[in-house]
Amino acid sequence: MKVFKGQNILNLVKELPDDDACKAYLSKIKWMDGFKCSKYGSEKGCEKAGYNYQCYSCNHVESSTANTLFHKVKFGLQKAFLIVFEMTTSTKSMSSIQVGKRYGISQTTAWFFMQKVRVAMQSSQKYPLSQIVHVDEFVVGGKEDAKQGRSYDTKKTTAVIAVELTEKNKIKRVYVKAIDDYSAKSLTPIFEEHISTSAKIFTDKWRGYSPLKAMYNIEQKESKKGRNFKEIHVVVHQIKSWIRTVPTHVSKKHVQSYFDEFSFRMNKSIFKENIFHKTIERMINSKPIYHNQIIQKLTI
Ligand SMILES: [Zn+2]
């Protein structure tokens, strides 16, 4: 199949000029290795009008969007493609308010769809950070200004961040995880999910990291008000200023999806040519997620 490459929005519209063209694009990805009936697994079928497939053995007709993250997108696939394009190829994505205005859909509709894209942006956890890795914690969100004397702390999110550096201290990759507190138990998952046991890890002197030393190669050093972890603070600053531009309040239960989006864009920034296609591919290969699941955060 002809894969879309690059960051030029005019080329995207030229190559995928309408909903049908986008549907055809999805069907090529979905059945790249041939048709497989989602009901009973039969592999014999034929293409039907509208880029669907019909199974020979059970007559089930399946569309290219069924059982994927494009399931039941009601505002048209071309708009959906353009939103994915904006979220992946730009440096800072767009807010759901801006997306709503630009594509003539409600802010809520835009937000739900964007949450689905963020599901596809979750790390596969297949490529843990393996070189020089700095780990630190930070706090994001909540009202900066609490002069009325009320505590806004419940709206703040605590997070832990792992940054992989090159030997010349250039930032290579980043993972961020929302945590409940700074205990060793809460700090452990980012190590298990995103850091290789062969990595050379640096943290500050916080005792929550000590138990992890049994498993990981961790060196604890004074933070010196962040001066020893300059690179990590650059990234934390970017995350905070980006989250501040999200006009609606980023609730504690959804903040992880924003961290996933941020890390995805940063980690794939050297693959910008393919980032749009790769995200579409991930959305086709992911199970659908429904609005009530997004609200209840059952899967994200
Ligand atoms: Zn079948």
Side-chain angles (χ1 to χ4, degrees), residues 174-193:
V174 170
Y175 289 111
V176 188
K177 245 184 131 57
I179 49 176
D180 290 333
D181 51 49
Y182 301 123
S183 67
K185 187 171 169 267
S186 298
L187 293 169
T188 300
I190 196 167
F191 284 78
E192 289 177 344
E193 291 166 18

Side-chain angles (χ1 to χ4, degrees), residues 23 32 34 38 51 64 75 86 91 107-108 140 153 159 170 178 193 246 277 279 284 299:
K23 207 169 177 198
M32 193 182 286
S38 66
Y51 310 103
S64 51
F75 48 82
E86 310 251 29
T91 2
Q107 185 255 328
T108 315
V140 72
D153 275 1
K170 282 234 180 317
E193 291 166 18
V246 178
H277 175 75
T279 310
I284 279 292
T299 57

Side-chain angles (χ1 to χ4, degrees), residues 6 69 88 131 133 177 181 189 196 198 218 238 261 263 280 284:
L69 283 172
T88 52
Q131 301 181 346
V133 179
K177 245 184 131 57
D181 51 49
S196 158
S198 65
I218 298 174
Q238 286 173 4
E261 179 184 347
S263 311
I280 296 282
I284 279 292

Side-chain angles (χ1 to χ4, degrees), residues 37 40 55 57-58:
C37 175
Y40 307 106
C55 171
S57 70
C58 73

Side-chain angles (χ1 to χ4, degrees), residues 19 65 110 114 123 134 151 167 173 228 237:
D19 291 346
T65 55
M114 290 169 86
S123 160
H134 288 189
S151 168
E167 289 191 350
R173 285 187 297 156
N228 267 339
H237 181 76

Side-chain angles (χ1 to χ4, degrees), residues 80-99:
F81 271 46
L82 284 162
I83 296 170
V84 174
F85 187 81
E86 310 251 29
M87 288 177 76
T88 52
T89 58
S90 62
T91 2
K92 290 193 168 166
S93 183
M94 283 167 81
S95 72
S96 55
I97 293 179
Q98 289 170 306
V99 167

Side-chain angles (χ1 to χ4, degrees), residues 197-208:
T197 47
S198 65
K200 174 87 191 110
I201 307 161
F202 294 93
T203 70
D204 60 22
K205 294 245 169 174
W206 173 239
R207 60 186 149 83

